[in-house]
Amino acid sequence: MINRTVLTGRLTDDIDLRYTPSGSAVGNFRLAVNRRFTNQNGEREADFINCVVWKKTAENLANFTHKGTLIGVDGRIQTRTYDDKDGKKVYITEVVVEQFALLEPRQDNQVQQPQQNNMSPFDNPSDQVDITDDDLPF
């Protein structure tokens, strides 16, 4: 069976990052995905799709994004049910995100801009930052 979902959209809010009792990170978010067609008024409508992401991917997504960020996600559809406090059965359908991609550059206020001078950014070793695989969002 094939269960694969690829979406491109904007975050409707910051990632809701929490931790399970065993210490695993879990992030919940909603992705606004534009439809390909316009309605009768010529406006483009969107679908708001619930997503969940786990472990290091959840932490990276929460660290590298914010409300309004354009991202691509790759994952699978999952359905689950539970009984609410009134005993009523609640059905949930969501995308379990396995990978994500940032689809636009970070905002100017989030990225430190290089100073305007003739000096190479590598001339001052104290300004260099080591980046490990754990720092990358993929």
Side-chain angles (χ1 to χ4, degrees):
M1 304 294 165
I2 298 173
N3 182 355
R4 199 99 217 110
T5 302
V6 178
L7 301 169
T8 300
R10 294 197 180 272
L11 296 175
T12 61
D13 283 304
D14 291 343
I15 306 298
D16 179 20
L17 184 64
R18 298 179 184 182
Y19 291 86
T20 64
S22 64
S24 292
V26 58
N28 293 92
F29 62 97
R30 186 171 283 178
L31 199 62
V33 179
N34 284 340
R35 294 180 179 173
R36 293 183 61 150
F37 53 88
T38 57
N39 63 18
Q40 294 175 354
N41 299 330
E43 299 166 341
R44 197 169 293 275
E45 295 180 356
D47 292 302
F48 297 88
I49 300 171
N50 293 321
C51 300
V52 63
V53 60
W54 290 89
K55 299 182 180 178
K56 189 67 176 172
T57 307
E59 292 174 327
N60 285 334
L61 186 61
N63 288 332
F64 287 99
T65 63
H66 57 84
K67 178 180 178 178
T69 301
L70 180 66
I71 63 170
V73 299
D74 176 28
R76 60 185 170 80
I77 299 285
Q78 173 178 282
T79 59
R80 57 188 171 92
T81 62
Y82 67 91
D83 294 328
D84 68 7
K85 61 183 176 185
D86 299 327
K88 184 177 174 184
K89 190 169 283 278
V90 177
Y91 296 89
I92 306 276
T93 300
E94 58 198 357
V95 174
V96 178
V97 175
E98 296 168 0
Q99 299 179 65
F100 73 92
L102 303 175
L103 299 179
E104 61 188 357
R106 289 179 146 185
Q107 300 298 323
D108 288 341
N109 61 358
Q110 293 178 325
V111 177
Q112 188 177 34
Q113 297 297 320
Q115 295 178 358
Q116 297 296 324
N117 59 30
N118 294 331
M119 193 167 91
S120 163
F122 301 106
D123 289 344
N124 186 355
S126 66
D127 290 341
Q128 294 181 9
V129 177
D130 291 332
I131 298 192
T132 65
D133 288 344
D134 292 338
D135 297 320
L136 301 175
F138 45 84

